[in-house]
Structure formats: structure tokens, C-alpha cells
Amino acid sequence: MKILITGGAGFIGSHVIRLFINKYPNYEIVNLDKLTYAGNLENLTDIENASNYKFVKGDIVDKDFVFDLFKQEQFDGVIHLAAESHVDRSISNPTEFIMTNIVGTVNLLNAAREEWKDNMENKIFYHVSTDEVYGSLGDEGFFLEDTPYDPRSPYSASKASSDHLVRAYHHTFKMPVKLSNCSNNYGANQFPEKLLPLMINNIKHSKALPVYGKGDNIRDWLWVNDHARAIDVIYHEGKIGETYNIGGHNEWKNIDLIHLLCNVMDKKLGRPKGESAKLITFVTDRAGHDMRYAIDATKIKNELDWEPSITFEQGLEKTVDWYLENESWLNNITSGDYKTYYVNQYEN
Ligand code: NAD
Ligand code: DAU
């Protein structure tokens, strides 16, 4: 079994690669990644010499490169995670998102189709997507697999588009696809532009904690290792043509989450209780900021027996410990070009 995992040097991809390398020693795993600002081979140093692992640097937007790779490697399956993933960046530069998330996905679909057209049996094209395609919830309700799409940022619109294309290839060309739409991930290896690692890094350096708007927005947080477990289960046991929602049953208002994190950080850093929370700074809201995301993950629980393995309190503690223990990872990623790349207009 030879599997292409795209975006494996990124946050979630690195956890998926590690899980597959260790759990399936007989599989050959090829990691295709462009190494954008979000791709970091330091995320994979522990498995980079594994005999069943190969890294290929390349751009999924480059059609000829993608076709050549598929011809050469003869993949049995694809787990597609490569994407531009940060909503704020999609507001300042939407085009990059259209190219990678839509054109890149179509290139992978076309290359798979070309190689698999005579025999699609036992092949899998698995697209990893987001709950943001469903839009924004009010106080009530949850996103289900059949919730109508209503993307509202350039990022979510590009992911919705790629989801539609993946489904269209299934219906039109019988491409054996699977999809999943997951809520907000947190954990080790996340680029510190996303809420939790940004706040951890800023607390550590006693820098302002920029809270968009009033901090009332709600996200449903899932430990990244549990997302990787879900991807494993869906890849192996999910039904062809189906979509699975993945979530943590773990909704937090941003401001409450940041206060919780501040308390954890005060303890870990030996600061007086309340010290880190003094850094909280309310800033202009994100344009088009979705109010609430919440996943109903009943389908994956009932059909594939998956549910989160740890509580949020356990996961948050593990996450904080990881960033504090991996000081060089955090220092490396926030030095050099970080300031240039880091588009958060609110950084002080
Ligand atoms: P990330 O930004 O950390 O990593 C993306 C990876 O893709 C990077 O390694 C980057 O170098 C690579 N990449 C980007 N453009 C590329 C290109 N043109 N060619 C090849 N490689 C390219 O993202 P992430 O948070 O790990 O998200 C991974 C996937 O999961 C994305 O598809 C995202 O939409 C989805 N997702 C993320 C979350 C989340 O909370 N982070 C939740 C649900 C779904
Ligand atoms: O729901 C899944 C999605 O979760 C993924 O598809 C995306 O790839 C991922 O980036 C994430 O999107 P969000 O926009 O929800 O994540 P982010 O970490 O950027 O922000 C989380 C919340 O915190 C959101 O309501 C905005 C707010 N926020 C974020 C930052 C970076 C702040 O208040 N201040 C900040 O500095």
C-alpha cells in the first residue's frame, strides 16, 4: 500500500504522517509538501529516517509535476491535507487560497483519475476539510453532514469549492472519494498565527493577547492527535462517497478559553494568578467573523466508533507543556521571516 499524504509538513499533516508511519510499517508513505511558511520539516524529525517514509518537495498547483509524481509513484491512496489554512491570510490574499485549495485539489484529482482510470478498485482519494464550509451558527444547533454549505470567508469558500469538486469527481467519474469536515484543532506543531499557539507564545513573552471583537465567538476544539486518529479510521473504514463530521463536543467562547489558558500558563510559568490575563487586549474584529461553529459528530461515533480520547483540560495541559518544552521549535519558527509572514495586523 503506497499512500500520498499532501501537506504532511504542516500542523495536522505531521501528526497524520507520524501515526501512519508508526502504525503501518508495511505501508509506504510519501509526504508531498511545498514547505510554505506553514510547512516545517522540524515537525517530522523523529520519523524522517523511517524506511517506509519519503519526503517530496513540490507544489500541488504545478500540474505537470503532480502528474509526473503520480505516474512515477503509482499511489494506492491519497490523503489530501495541503492547503492555505489561515482565515486572516485569506482576507489579505485570497488568490493564494484559490490556487492551492481549488486548483491544487483539481490537479490531484485529475492525476489520480489518469492513473486509476482503468482500475479504481481499492483506491481511495480522501479530502480533509473543515467545518467552516457550513457557515456560522447562532446560539442553537450543530453542523451535520447534510447541513447546507454557506462559506463566508475566502478560506472557507475555497475549501467548500474543493469539497464540491471532490464530490463531483465521485459522481461524474466514479472517483472513490471520502471526505471529512473537522472543527478547530489544537496541539503540538501548530504555526503561531492560530489562536492557541499565538497566545501561548505571547504570554510567554509578556506580549499583548489580541482578542478579536468582544471575544464572544465560539469554536469547538479538538486535540490534533484525535483528528489524526479519526483520519486513520475514515481512511480505512469509512464508506466510499461519504462525508464524516469530526468534532470535540467542546465549545468555548474565545474569551473564556483565553482566560483558561492564562490560568494554566500562570501556573506553568510560576506567575501570580491573574498575571497573564492582564495582557488581554480587545482589538478590531476579524472581517466577516463567523460567530459559532459546533459539530455533531454522531455519525462517526455510531458508524466508525470514533470519539475524542482525552478531555480538553488534559489536551490543553499537554499542549502548553509541549510549547514550553520545545522552546527551540517555537524560537526557530518565530524568528527570521516570522514578522514578515505573520499577517496578524494586531500584533504589537
Ligand atoms: P497548515 O497550514 O499547518 O499546513 C498546510 C501544509 O500544506 C503546509 O505544510 C504547507 O507547506 C502545505 N502546502 C500549502 N500549499 C501547498 C501547495 N501549493 N503544495 C503543496 N503543499 C502545500 O494547515 P493545517 O492546519 O495542518 O490544516 C491541514 C488541512 O486540514 C487543511 O486542508 C485544512 O483546511 C484542514 N483543516 C484544518 C483545521 C485546523 O483547525 N487547523 C481544521 C479542519 C480542517
Ligand atoms: O474550524 C476549523 C478551522 O479552524 C480550520 O479550518 C482553519 O484552518 C483553522 O485556522 C481554524 O480557523 P479559525 O479562524 O477558527 O482559527 P483561528 O485560530 O484563526 O481563530 C480562532 C478564533 O480566535 C476565531 O474566532 C478568531 C479568534 N482569534 C484568532 C486570533 C489568531 C482572536 O481573537 N485573536 C487572534 O489573534
Side-chain angles (χ1 to χ4, degrees):
M1 168 89 77
K2 189 186 273 196
I3 304 177
L4 172 68
I5 300 184
T6 70
F11 168 46
I12 301 169
S14 61
H15 291 276
V16 176
I17 296 255
R18 179 170 299 99
L19 188 155
F20 272 69
I21 291 289
N22 291 329
K23 188 167 173 188
Y24 304 107
N26 296 331
Y27 289 7
E28 289 176 68
I29 302 296
V30 177
N31 173 13
L32 165 59
D33 199 297
K34 184 182 172 182
L35 298 182
T36 67
Y37 77 94
N40 182 359
L41 289 178
E42 254 194 83
N43 294 344
L44 293 164
T45 43
D46 56 324
I47 57 89
E48 68 188 1
N49 294 320
S51 56
N52 57 340
Y53 173 70
K54 178 160 127 185
F55 173 68
V56 178
K57 184 172 180 209
D59 186 346
I60 59 170
V61 178
D62 181 344
K63 173 181 166 257
D64 293 341
F65 161 77
V66 171
F67 270 68
D68 286 350
L69 184 72
F70 271 74
K71 185 164 285 313
Q72 198 183 305
E73 297 283 353
Q74 294 295 305
F75 299 115
D76 301 296
V78 176
I79 304 179
H80 175 34
L81 295 110
E84 286 294 335
S85 68
H86 192 47
V87 174
D88 292 329
R89 286 176 192 260
S90 83
I91 295 167
S92 49
N93 182 11
T95 308
E96 195 97 22
F97 286 68
I98 306 311
M99 295 311 293
T100 288
N101 299 1
I102 306 178
V103 177
T105 301
V106 171
N107 284 341
L108 292 167
L109 285 164
N110 284 337
R113 192 175 157 230
E114 174 64 23
E115 292 310 314
W116 298 348
K117 62 181 183 289
D118 296 330
N119 182 11
M120 297 234 183
E121 214 173 313
N122 297 325
K123 304 288 193 287
I124 299 170
F125 188 105
Y126 176 3
H127 184 228
V128 175
S129 192
T130 170
D131 60 355
E132 298 197 12
V133 299
Y134 299 122
S136 180
L137 291 165
D139 293 343
E140 305 281 314
F142 296 91
F143 296 137
L144 286 150
E145 283 79 0
D146 59 2
T147 298
Y149 274 32
D150 182 23
R152 293 145 49 98
S153 73
Y155 163 68
S156 53
S158 69
K159 291 296 290 188
S161 176
S162 53
D163 285 5
H164 287 320
L165 284 158
V166 169
R167 290 197 186 97
Y169 272 61
H170 176 61
H171 290 289
T172 312
F173 305 118
K174 309 280 174 259
M175 175 68 70
V177 307
K178 301 181 183 188
L179 296 95
S180 58
N181 295 81
C182 187
S183 62
N184 284 62
N185 285 214
Y186 70 94
N189 297 348
Q190 190 169 30
F191 191 83
E193 63 185 350
K194 306 278 166 69
L195 183 71
L196 275 168
L198 176 75
M199 296 289 163
I200 292 171
N201 191 43
N202 283 14
I203 292 171
K204 196 178 152 203
H205 294 103
S206 296
K207 287 168 66 177
L209 309 179
V211 179
Y212 298 170
K214 293 184 183 146
D216 282 343
N217 304 67
I218 293 172
R219 298 291 182 264
D220 170 4
W221 294 91
L222 178 70
W223 191 41
V224 64
N225 301 61
D226 279 331
H227 188 189
R229 282 178 49 242
I231 289 172
D232 175 21
V233 172
I234 292 168
Y235 184 83
H236 288 97
E237 292 164 37
K239 290 196 197 107
I240 294 291
E242 296 270 323
T243 294
Y244 299 86
N245 280 358
I246 310 168
H249 302 293
N250 180 40
E251 291 182 53
W252 283 84
K253 213 181 248 197
N254 290 340
I255 190 65
D256 296 340
L257 175 57
I258 292 162
H259 274 289
L260 175 69
L261 177 68
C262 286
N263 288 340
V264 173
M265 290 290 287
D266 281 343
K267 276 196 204 124
K268 298 276 175 195
L269 297 172
R271 291 180 184 167
K273 193 164 186 254
E275 184 76 5
S276 300
K278 289 184 195 153
L279 299 166
I280 290 173
T281 309
F282 292 93
V283 298
T284 312
D285 210 352
R286 171 186 280 173
H289 198 172
D290 286 340
M291 182 48 76
R292 174 173 168 253
Y293 305 143
I295 284 279
D296 181 330
T298 307
K299 178 176 173 180
I300 187 170
K301 182 174 190 298
N302 288 350
E303 292 188 13
L304 303 180
D305 199 21
W306 173 93
E307 54 186 339
S309 67
I310 60 172
T311 66
F312 185 55
E313 286 70 19
Q314 290 168 328
L316 189 63
E317 177 132 359
K318 277 176 190 288
T319 302
V320 167
D321 285 344
W322 188 86
Y323 286 95
L324 294 180
E325 280 160 18
N326 289 272
E327 204 168 13
S328 65
W329 184 95
L330 199 53
N331 289 344
N332 290 345
I333 211 162
T334 53
S335 62
D337 287 338
Y338 177 64
K339 284 266 191 297
T340 326
Y341 288 138
Y342 178 50
V343 294
N344 189 323
Q345 59 192 301
Y346 313 115
E347 198 199 15
N348 61 338

